[in-house]
Amino acid sequence: MSWVGAGTTSREGGAVLAAVWWVNQADPQYAIDLRRGYRWSPSKTKSGGVREAWRCLEDMVPGDTWINWRQQSIVALGVVTAVPESAPWP
């Protein structure tokens, strides 16, 4: 899964504007996440490095929207319903 950027977000001074996230996702992960009902991404690479695209998950807040891109088309739109949390590989 690749989170390739965020839209405009302002969370300063009490103002909250929802962000829009673009998600590039390959098979079979898209089908797996769809069945589970949530998106999951590793927090580190096998060598222990951090990918910014994965780290962006931490910035998502309820109300944010994501656009899911797979096989050269937009296949889903989603709305974040809970604060992301750390979890082991499902």
Side-chain angles (χ1 to χ4, degrees):
M1 178 182 314
S2 176
W3 299 86
V4 292
T8 58
T9 304
S10 175
R11 292 178 168 83
E12 297 177 18
V16 177
L17 301 174
V20 176
W21 303 86
W22 184 270
V23 181
N24 292 332
Q25 198 168 24
D27 290 324
Q29 194 60 46
Y30 172 77
I32 293 168
D33 286 353
L34 189 61
R35 259 193 326 273
R36 283 192 302 237
Y38 61 88
R39 300 285 180 241
W40 185 88
S41 182
S43 57
K44 296 190 184 225
T45 64
K46 289 179 182 177
S47 63
V50 176
R51 288 192 181 167
E52 181 61 18
W54 294 346
R55 197 222 45 82
C56 285
L57 285 171
E58 298 171 7
D59 295 338
M60 298 177 98
V61 297
D64 286 355
T65 300
W66 79 79
I67 301 169
N68 197 288
W69 174 268
R70 179 179 147 265
Q71 296 181 347
Q72 300 183 345
S73 61
I74 294 172
V75 295
L77 298 175
V79 176
V80 177
T81 59
V83 175
E85 57 187 70
S86 181
W89 187 283

